[in-house]
Amino acid sequence: MDVAQTAAIPDVELDGGVRIPLVGLGTSGLLGQPSVHAVSTALRQGYRLIDTASRYNNEMSVGMGLRDSGVPRGEVLVQTKLGGGDQGFDEAITAAKESARRLGVSYLDVYLIHWPNPTLGRMVESWKALLTLADEGYVRTVGVSNFKQHQLQTLFDETGRWPALNQIQCSPSLARTELRAFMADHDIHAQAWHPTGRKEGMLGEPEILRLARKYGKSPTQISLRWAVQQGIGVIPKSSHAGRQRENVDLFDFEFDLDDMTALAGLDRGERAARDSDVEEEF
Ligand SMILES: NC(=O)c1ccc[n+]([C@@H]2O[C@H](COP(=O)([O-])OP(=O)(O)OC[C@H]3O[C@@H](n4cnc5c(N)ncnc54)[C@H](OP(=O)(O)O)[C@@H]3O)[C@@H](O)[C@H]2O)c1
């Protein structure tokens, strides 16, 4: 496919001015050539945001996909994350540069602390390192992932600066309403991981199926539309060209108030989400 044949994906402005697409490609579990191919295919189909992490062990193949796509580097947002084992000030500075080296890029667009990992006690030092990387122009924008209200507040209390973005587990079945309201109050963009909700069995819910019939869309598209209609970014992972196209084909229909009320009824509540006060990833 020609690079010019691209889908238009709306974007939003983050605190600090960087514009980020509302739909990007997730890459968790994509390794080796399938990873190169998925990233290259997505970019050639119009994706302009790629999400990876040092923990996914695929930064090198994601970078190869970026170059393989033929899409100019300056048009793509490369987003990666600091692993738990690299938390700490000096460690985070080194880890960001190692991620960029593996990706084959001279700067990162978005760099996130992957998990707070409270038992380490290094989230503030790590956050200071990310702010330093941003101030030095090595990273265009910095944020976090899996942070709860009080963890975000700690970062602000210690540095006077909020993250521009918090990547959280979020879908109609895990709406994260209170967390998102807190984030909105502080201009922190919400980006949803596992946005399809399929692992929670959400795509078989009668309301999802009813809306899929009503709008002539797939259950996955209903779940993704719920997010983007509220300005929540999504990063669905798919290795298939057709499903990648489906996952950005979200902007020609709109839920009405009754639809949104029905979808709100699917929320299983905060207790059903992974809890970063007790869960840690390294
Ligand atoms: N920050 C964190 O802690 C964290 C945690 C988890 C994930 N993430 C990020 O978020 C991304 C997305 O999360 P996720 O991968 O867990 O879940 P997801 O994107 O909600 O679901 C991915 C699964 O859905 C399938 N799929 C995608 N689109 C589809 C469609 N239109 N129709 C049918 N099946 C479809 C994919 O299979 P095919 O590939 O076969 O299409 C894959 O098995 C990850 O890849 C990663 O980048 C971040």
Side-chain angles (χ1 to χ4, degrees):
M1 179 176 292
D2 192 272
V3 170
Q5 282 180 263
T6 57
I9 301 172
D11 57 16
V12 293
E13 188 171 312
L14 298 177
D15 192 22
V18 170
R19 298 197 71 85
I20 190 163
L22 278 175
V23 187
L25 181 76
T27 65
S28 171
L30 285 170
L31 298 170
Q33 276 306 321
S35 165
V36 178
H37 183 71
V39 170
S40 174
T41 304
L43 290 171
R44 289 162 74 90
Q45 300 198 104
Y47 283 70
R48 289 294 179 268
L49 168 66
I50 307 293
D51 178 74
T52 180
S54 59
R55 192 170 184 279
Y56 303 164
N57 292 315
N58 65 5
E59 288 173 316
M60 212 152 176
S61 54
V62 165
M64 288 167 76
L66 173 62
R67 288 182 290 285
D68 188 59
S69 72
V71 177
R73 166 71 184 98
E75 289 183 18
V76 181
L77 275 82
V78 176
Q79 171 174 293
T80 189
K81 311 186 194 81
L82 175 73
D86 290 325
Q87 281 208 24
F89 188 89
D90 293 340
E91 293 86 344
I93 301 275
T94 303
K97 293 183 177 175
E98 280 296 297
S99 281
R101 180 188 60 75
R102 285 190 291 271
L103 284 155
V105 297
S106 59
Y107 64 92
L108 299 171
D109 296 277
V110 188
Y111 196 50
L112 310 176
I113 301 176
H114 204 149
W115 282 82
N117 289 338
T119 57
L120 283 177
R122 293 189 202 142
M123 76 172 88
V124 172
E125 289 312 300
S126 303
W127 180 234
K128 287 179 181 169
L130 266 61
L131 292 172
T132 300
L133 288 162
D135 291 343
E136 289 176 352
Y138 197 74
V139 177
R140 291 177 66 214
T141 192
V142 287
V144 295
S145 179
N146 299 301
F147 274 54
K148 296 167 67 169
Q149 290 93 314
H150 74 93
Q151 294 160 335
L152 294 166
Q153 187 71 52
T154 297
L155 298 188
F156 179 79
D157 290 346
E158 296 289 333
T159 65
R161 287 163 74 178
W162 296 105
L165 182 160
N166 188 15
Q167 186 183 106
I168 53 174
Q169 186 183 21
C170 186
S171 69
S173 58
L174 293 168
R176 316 302 301 271
T177 314
E178 283 177 29
L179 173 57
R180 286 193 293 110
F182 178 88
M183 288 161 55
D185 283 347
H186 300 294
D187 230 354
I188 302 171
H189 175 58
Q191 188 183 67
W193 66 257
H194 193 47
T196 67
R198 56 185 8 93
K199 280 184 197 156
E200 293 106 42
M202 196 191 62
L203 300 181
E205 291 279 357
E207 278 306 328
I208 295 278
L209 297 173
R210 182 182 69 78
L211 291 172
R213 280 193 302 277
K214 175 175 173 183
Y215 290 103
K217 295 286 179 180
S218 70
T220 300
Q221 288 171 311
I222 298 302
S223 181
L224 299 177
R225 174 71 205 183
W226 169 87
V228 297
Q229 186 162 317
Q230 302 177 82
I232 304 169
V234 292
I235 45 165
K237 171 256 164 191
S238 183
S239 43
H240 295 262
R243 296 208 272 266
Q244 290 178 354
R245 283 198 297 278
E246 185 182 318
N247 294 347
V248 295
D249 179 18
L250 310 172
F251 301 100
D252 60 352
F253 71 112
E254 192 171 353
F255 295 136
D256 59 28
L257 201 56
D258 288 345
D259 299 334
M260 289 304 272
T261 304
L263 289 168
L266 300 179
D267 184 14
R268 296 179 189 181
E270 192 60 29
R271 288 162 66 114
R274 291 185 66 188
D275 182 353
S276 58
D277 274 328
V278 290
E279 284 196 55
E280 306 195 286
E281 282 201 8
F282 297 96

